[in-house]
Every structure is written in structure tokens, then in C-alpha cells.
Amino acid sequence: ATTLGSAAAAKSRYFGTAVAAYKLGDATYAGILDREFTMVTAENEMKWDATEPTQNSFSYTSADTIVARARANGQRVRGHALAWHSQQPGWAQSLSGSALRSAMVNHITKVATHYRGQIYAWDVVNEAFADGSSGARRDSNLQQTGNDWIEVAFRTARAADPDAKLCYNDYNTDGVNAKSTAVYNMVKDFLARGVPIDCVGFQSHFNPASPLPADYQANLQRFADLGVEVQITELDIAGSGSAQADSYARVVRACLAVTRCAGITVWGIRDSDSWRASDTPLLFDGNGNPKAAYTSVLTAF
Ligand code: XIL
């Protein structure tokens, strides 16, 4: 295969990227996007602050641009993210209790209904667990509305967009650790109680302080063994040269080894597009040329 998307497709996987609406007019960027990728995630445009800047007044222009363009190019779309403690509009940050809970439910209903039938998988809830060894929920305004906020979010999303896969998405859950085990136990509980959940997203933001875990594949497999799909949702790996290329290949091999691993999304196209550009964590350099990591990914498929 000669592109990331076709290499992944040969193994029944997708290969996606995060995109920013304001870059779509950049010919180099758009050229790589349409040549290489079969799945698209809006990097910021579907978040709560972007889609509902004023309570119950929705703003879909940028996200609609991304979705329409992807669909016109035969690319599928991951919806990111319906309920999250971060990137909330100011009005939501200042709500609490039942007012915030109702606002969350309304947000999920409206956004998921707007995109009903057009989204492959929603990140319904993002980053709801605490880092470290506690296995606890993250203390956030949403958590303070009651421990059942996550299952309410999933049930609300299912009602609004019944054919989309519904994912829980997080970081530092890539290996077997207290945080990923807490997520694992939640997923198991949801499945046992009939709370709708179809997939788990592993962000996979790797750097020297938080490297690709040795038990990455084993961790994906234990979630897959529960019966949910697993997806690598925001992959980027700090570094350069052969070390970076080898890590990218390991991620591809891990996904290929897990039957229920549906695909891989990288969190941007060129290093210069990255949210942490100084880490040069992506597959294309700032000029849009493929890096060693790119060739390594193609070969690993
Ligand atoms: C990041 C974007 O890449 C940045 O442009 C933005 O300023 C902050 O958010 N986890 C997530 C993503 O789920 O939404 C975040 O994206 C990166 C961490």
C-alpha cells in the first residue's frame, strides 16, 4: 500500500487524523489529509465551548465544514467530545448541580442529534478518571453533579444518535495501571447493567515521561475481551528518527494483534500542526514531507 489509509484498509482498519477547520484552505495540509487518511476527528470544533458558546444557542459552522468535507471525500468521522471537564464554555463552568446536569444532557442531545447518522463513533465522555493510583473519578464540576453522570451521558447519546458507536476516551490508560483498571471496571459494570457503551478510546499521547507502555497490547486486549471495540484516538509520540519510528510501528502492531482494534487516529498531520509541536510527534514534518515514522507505519501494516 502507498498511503496510511490504504495500508490500514488492507487490514480492515481505518487510519485517521485530527483536523483543524481553519487549516483546510492550506493546500499542503488538505492534500495530505485527502491522500492519506480515512477517518477524521475535529481537533477542537465539536467541543462544548465551540458548539454551545451561549447556553442553548448552538454554533456548528466550523464542525459542519469538517464533517461535510470528510464525507465528500469518503472519510468517516469520530465525534469529539460530548462531555468533558475541559474546554467548557464559561457559562457551563459557572453552573453546578442539577442545572449543570440538565445543561449537559441538553448539550449531548442537541449535538448528537445535529450529527445523527453521520458519526462513526462519539467520544461521549472524555478524561473522567483521575491520574495516579487512586482509581477514582476526576474531581470536576460534572462529577460533582453525581457519580451517575457518565452513564446518563451515554444513555443520552444513544437516544440521540442510536447508530453511532459510543466511546469512553482517556489518556494514561494506555497500559495496565490503576487508572485504566478503573475504566475497565466501569466498562464491565456498564455492560453488566445494560448501560450503552460500544468502544474505548486510548488517546496514546506518548513522550519520555509517559512512554509507550510495554503492556500496551495486553491492555487493549483486556478491554477487547470485555466485548467492546478499542480505538487509538489521539496518537502522537515525541521524538525523532528510528526511536520514534519504532514506537509508531509498535502501536500499529499492537492494534493489528487485537481483532477488535478498529483503527488508529494521529493527533494532527504535520509536526507544525501538533498541539505540542516542539515534540515533533507526528508522521509528517513541517513541510509536509513523510518522516521515518511514516514509512515505519506503512511497513508495519
Ligand atoms: C487539544 C487540542 O489539540 C488543542 O488545540 C487544544 O488547545 C487543547 O486540546 N486530549 C483531548 C484533546 O481529548 O481534545 C486535546 O486536544 C488533547 C488532549
Side-chain angles (χ1 to χ4, degrees):
T2 56
T3 66
L4 299 167
S6 61
K11 297 291 166 67
S12 305
R13 300 317 198 268
Y14 64 77
F15 205 96
T17 182
V19 305
Y22 75 92
K23 291 178 183 164
L24 291 170
D26 173 334
T28 304
Y29 182 87
I32 300 170
L33 173 58
D34 294 340
R35 185 179 74 235
E36 300 286 345
F37 296 99
T38 53
M39 184 74 76
V40 159
T41 305
E43 187 173 1
N44 291 297
E45 292 80 350
M46 278 193 200
K47 293 173 181 175
W48 199 348
D49 60 352
T51 49
E52 195 181 0
T54 302
Q55 188 166 14
N56 207 31
S57 170
F58 290 83
S59 143
Y60 296 116
T61 309
S62 296
D64 283 355
T65 301
I66 290 173
V67 172
R69 191 180 181 292
R71 290 166 59 80
N73 285 289
Q75 297 158 323
R76 290 183 289 174
V77 180
R78 297 193 75 265
H80 175 78
L82 294 171
W84 189 24
H85 69 278
S86 186
Q87 291 181 268
Q88 294 182 1
W91 63 264
Q93 293 177 41
S94 66
L95 292 181
S96 62
S98 58
L100 177 60
R101 175 65 68 89
S102 305
M104 177 193 83
V105 168
N106 184 56
H107 179 75
I108 294 170
T109 299
K110 296 284 170 58
V111 177
T113 300
H114 180 78
Y115 291 108
R116 183 182 181 125
Q118 302 185 58
I119 301 295
Y120 171 70
W122 282 106
D123 289 330
V124 177
V125 170
N126 197 30
E127 302 182 349
F129 281 81
D131 288 313
S133 59
S134 71
R137 296 282 183 84
R138 175 192 297 273
D139 183 22
S140 70
N141 61 345
L142 291 167
Q143 180 62 29
Q144 286 169 14
T145 68
N147 205 52
D148 63 343
W149 74 276
I150 299 182
E151 61 193 83
V152 168
F154 275 85
R155 291 188 197 280
T156 304
R158 178 69 95 220
D161 191 4
D163 294 334
K165 292 181 192 290
L166 305 182
C167 299
Y168 176 80
N169 190 53
D170 214 329
Y171 69 92
N172 284 351
T173 50
D174 311 299
V176 176
N177 58 40
K179 185 176 176 180
S180 64
T181 298
V183 174
Y184 177 88
N185 288 332
M186 178 188 73
V187 173
K188 201 171 164 183
D189 171 59
F190 279 13
L191 294 169
R193 291 192 296 112
V195 178
I197 184 165
D198 308 298
C199 39
V200 176
F202 299 86
Q203 293 185 9
S204 305
H205 293 293
F206 299 126
N207 58 65
S210 174
L212 176 53
D215 53 9
Y216 189 58
Q217 181 184 319
N219 189 49
L220 298 176
Q221 187 66 58
R222 72 170 173 157
F223 280 87
D225 287 344
L226 291 175
V228 288
E229 185 170 301
V230 297
Q231 303 174 7
I232 294 158
T233 52
E234 303 183 15
L235 178 64
D236 53 13
I237 307 176
S240 62
S242 61
Q244 183 181 51
D246 291 349
S247 293
Y248 265 103
R250 276 188 52 208
V251 172
V252 173
R253 289 196 300 265
C255 183
L256 289 180
V258 176
T259 308
R260 289 189 206 271
C261 179
I264 298 173
T265 293
V266 290
W267 205 241
I269 296 179
R270 302 162 298 197
D271 284 336
S272 50
D273 300 314
S274 172
W275 69 312
R276 45 196 193 104
S278 63
D279 284 345
T280 62
L282 296 173
L283 299 176
F284 295 87
D285 69 19
N287 295 317
N289 295 313
K291 296 163 58 180
Y294 171 90
T295 311
S296 177
V297 167
L298 268 194
T299 308
F301 274 114

